[in-house]
Amino acid sequence: EIPAGVVYDPATAESILTDLARWHSHPRREILYTVGRDMDWLRPGDVVALTDADLHLSAAVGLVGSVAYGDDSLTLQVVLFEPVVFSQ
């Protein structure tokens, strides 16, 4: 059971649950990045597009999983979305 106080339509609830089931049924790829404090506006749950030539990523869509604050930098955990087709 997943509480969702703002979903009243059964079809919308079913779509959300289908997407969540697909999300949790695939392996996750997590990446840690150390970035400058100018990125401190990012919060867990924010969607980001990640480009990293070393990892062969170009505008890969991911979710900020956590943010750890250091003195002069932040460490971001980014969870990448695998190429899964979600319901429309």
mmCIF file of all heavy atoms in Angstrom, residues 3 9 17-18 26 34 42 50 62 65 70 74-75 81-84 87:
data_model
loop_
_atom_site.group_PDB
_atom_site.id
_atom_site.type_symbol
_atom_site.label_atom_id
_atom_site.label_comp_id
_atom_site.label_asym_id
_atom_site.label_seq_id
_atom_site.Cartn_x
_atom_site.Cartn_y
_atom_site.Cartn_z
ATOM 1 N N PRO A 3 0.500 5.383 0.265
ATOM 2 C CA PRO A 3 -0.416 6.511 0.455
ATOM 3 C C PRO A 3 -0.145 7.618 -0.567
ATOM 4 O O PRO A 3 1.007 7.918 -0.877
ATOM 5 C CB PRO A 3 -0.116 6.998 1.875
ATOM 6 C CG PRO A 3 1.278 6.538 2.143
ATOM 7 C CD PRO A 3 1.480 5.287 1.332
ATOM 8 N N ASP A 9 -8.303 9.588 -8.845
ATOM 9 C CA ASP A 9 -8.771 8.821 -9.985
ATOM 10 C C ASP A 9 -8.118 7.443 -9.985
ATOM 11 O O ASP A 9 -6.882 7.334 -9.955
ATOM 12 C CB ASP A 9 -8.423 9.585 -11.273
ATOM 13 C CG ASP A 9 -8.837 8.848 -12.512
ATOM 14 O OD1 ASP A 9 -9.995 8.403 -12.575
ATOM 15 O OD2 ASP A 9 -7.989 8.708 -13.427
ATOM 16 N N LEU A 17 1.245 3.259 -9.920
ATOM 17 C CA LEU A 17 1.715 1.987 -9.378
ATOM 18 C C LEU A 17 2.444 1.155 -10.429
ATOM 19 O O LEU A 17 3.442 0.494 -10.128
ATOM 20 C CB LEU A 17 0.555 1.202 -8.780
ATOM 21 C CG LEU A 17 -0.026 1.789 -7.492
ATOM 22 C CD1 LEU A 17 -1.272 1.018 -7.071
ATOM 23 C CD2 LEU A 17 1.005 1.788 -6.380
ATOM 24 N N THR A 18 1.969 1.196 -11.662
ATOM 25 C CA THR A 18 2.644 0.478 -12.748
ATOM 26 C C THR A 18 4.043 1.032 -12.955
ATOM 27 O O THR A 18 5.016 0.279 -13.085
ATOM 28 C CB THR A 18 1.823 0.574 -14.046
ATOM 29 O OG1 THR A 18 0.547 -0.028 -13.825
ATOM 30 C CG2 THR A 18 2.528 -0.126 -15.200
ATOM 31 N N HIS A 26 13.917 -2.991 -11.982
ATOM 32 C CA HIS A 26 15.145 -2.927 -12.772
ATOM 33 C C HIS A 26 16.331 -2.544 -11.890
ATOM 34 O O HIS A 26 16.175 -1.828 -10.909
ATOM 35 C CB HIS A 26 15.007 -1.893 -13.896
ATOM 36 C CG HIS A 26 14.028 -2.305 -14.936
ATOM 37 N ND1 HIS A 26 14.349 -3.139 -15.973
ATOM 38 C CD2 HIS A 26 12.705 -2.024 -15.086
ATOM 39 C CE1 HIS A 26 13.283 -3.348 -16.717
ATOM 40 N NE2 HIS A 26 12.274 -2.680 -16.205
ATOM 41 N N THR A 34 31.122 14.902 -6.939
ATOM 42 C CA THR A 34 31.470 16.033 -6.083
ATOM 43 C C THR A 34 31.395 17.278 -6.953
ATOM 44 O O THR A 34 32.027 17.346 -8.008
ATOM 45 C CB THR A 34 32.884 15.866 -5.494
ATOM 46 O OG1 THR A 34 32.916 14.657 -4.726
ATOM 47 C CG2 THR A 34 33.236 17.042 -4.590
ATOM 48 N N LEU A 42 20.230 21.938 -5.603
ATOM 49 C CA LEU A 42 19.725 20.591 -5.878
ATOM 50 C C LEU A 42 19.294 19.908 -4.587
ATOM 51 O O LEU A 42 19.961 20.010 -3.558
ATOM 52 C CB LEU A 42 20.794 19.747 -6.577
ATOM 53 C CG LEU A 42 21.044 20.096 -8.035
ATOM 54 C CD1 LEU A 42 22.302 19.401 -8.537
ATOM 55 C CD2 LEU A 42 19.847 19.721 -8.893
ATOM 56 N N LEU A 50 22.371 14.204 -16.975
ATOM 57 C CA LEU A 50 23.784 14.032 -16.669
ATOM 58 C C LEU A 50 24.575 13.716 -17.934
ATOM 59 O O LEU A 50 24.235 12.792 -18.673
ATOM 60 C CB LEU A 50 23.935 12.904 -15.656
ATOM 61 C CG LEU A 50 25.313 12.601 -15.117
ATOM 62 C CD1 LEU A 50 25.878 13.808 -14.367
ATOM 63 C CD2 LEU A 50 25.247 11.415 -14.194
ATOM 64 N N GLY A 62 18.352 11.224 -14.628
ATOM 65 C CA GLY A 62 18.521 10.608 -13.325
ATOM 66 C C GLY A 62 17.811 11.379 -12.240
ATOM 67 O O GLY A 62 17.243 12.452 -12.486
ATOM 68 N N GLY A 65 19.508 11.324 -5.463
ATOM 69 C CA GLY A 65 19.131 10.465 -4.348
ATOM 70 C C GLY A 65 19.478 11.070 -3.000
ATOM 71 O O GLY A 65 18.717 10.970 -2.045
ATOM 72 N N GLY A 70 29.729 19.472 2.136
ATOM 73 C CA GLY A 70 31.081 19.607 2.654
ATOM 74 C C GLY A 70 31.391 21.084 2.852
ATOM 75 O O GLY A 70 30.531 21.940 2.649
ATOM 76 N N LEU A 74 29.746 19.781 -2.562
ATOM 77 C CA LEU A 74 28.630 18.882 -2.282
ATOM 78 C C LEU A 74 28.947 17.539 -2.916
ATOM 79 O O LEU A 74 29.592 17.472 -3.963
ATOM 80 C CB LEU A 74 27.335 19.379 -2.924
ATOM 81 C CG LEU A 74 26.853 20.778 -2.616
ATOM 82 C CD1 LEU A 74 25.675 21.108 -3.517
ATOM 83 C CD2 LEU A 74 26.446 20.880 -1.173
ATOM 84 N N THR A 75 28.476 16.474 -2.316
ATOM 85 C CA THR A 75 28.539 15.163 -2.949
ATOM 86 C C THR A 75 27.108 14.760 -3.262
ATOM 87 O O THR A 75 26.266 14.680 -2.364
ATOM 88 C CB THR A 75 29.202 14.119 -2.038
ATOM 89 O OG1 THR A 75 30.535 14.557 -1.743
ATOM 90 C CG2 THR A 75 29.265 12.760 -2.721
ATOM 91 N N PHE A 81 18.018 6.593 -14.497
ATOM 92 C CA PHE A 81 16.883 5.844 -15.022
ATOM 93 C C PHE A 81 17.406 4.975 -16.159
ATOM 94 O O PHE A 81 18.054 5.470 -17.069
ATOM 95 C CB PHE A 81 15.817 6.788 -15.590
ATOM 96 C CG PHE A 81 15.078 7.564 -14.555
ATOM 97 C CD1 PHE A 81 15.492 8.840 -14.222
ATOM 98 C CD2 PHE A 81 13.973 7.041 -13.933
ATOM 99 C CE1 PHE A 81 14.805 9.576 -13.273
ATOM 100 C CE2 PHE A 81 13.283 7.763 -12.992
ATOM 101 C CZ PHE A 81 13.698 9.037 -12.657
ATOM 102 N N GLU A 82 17.162 3.707 -16.080
ATOM 103 C CA GLU A 82 17.524 2.840 -17.198
ATOM 104 C C GLU A 82 16.524 3.113 -18.328
ATOM 105 O O GLU A 82 15.444 3.641 -18.089
ATOM 106 C CB GLU A 82 17.463 1.377 -16.754
ATOM 107 C CG GLU A 82 18.499 1.027 -15.701
ATOM 108 C CD GLU A 82 19.943 1.258 -16.153
ATOM 109 O OE1 GLU A 82 20.248 1.036 -17.338
ATOM 110 O OE2 GLU A 82 20.749 1.663 -15.319
ATOM 111 N N PRO A 83 16.881 2.761 -19.545
ATOM 112 C CA PRO A 83 15.969 3.055 -20.657
ATOM 113 C C PRO A 83 14.724 2.175 -20.625
ATOM 114 O O PRO A 83 14.612 1.193 -21.344
ATOM 115 C CB PRO A 83 16.822 2.782 -21.895
ATOM 116 C CG PRO A 83 17.864 1.843 -21.432
ATOM 117 C CD PRO A 83 18.109 2.154 -19.984
ATOM 118 N N VAL A 84 13.814 2.511 -19.738
ATOM 119 C CA VAL A 84 12.558 1.773 -19.578
ATOM 120 C C VAL A 84 11.434 2.667 -20.093
ATOM 121 O O VAL A 84 11.396 3.855 -19.794
ATOM 122 C CB VAL A 84 12.316 1.446 -18.092
ATOM 123 C CG1 VAL A 84 10.975 0.772 -17.901
ATOM 124 C CG2 VAL A 84 13.431 0.590 -17.548
ATOM 125 N N SER A 87 4.528 4.170 -18.766
ATOM 126 C CA SER A 87 3.201 4.370 -19.340
ATOM 127 C C SER A 87 2.939 5.847 -19.583
ATOM 128 O O SER A 87 3.476 6.703 -18.919
ATOM 129 C CB SER A 87 2.139 3.791 -18.416
ATOM 130 O OG SER A 87 2.154 4.429 -17.171
#
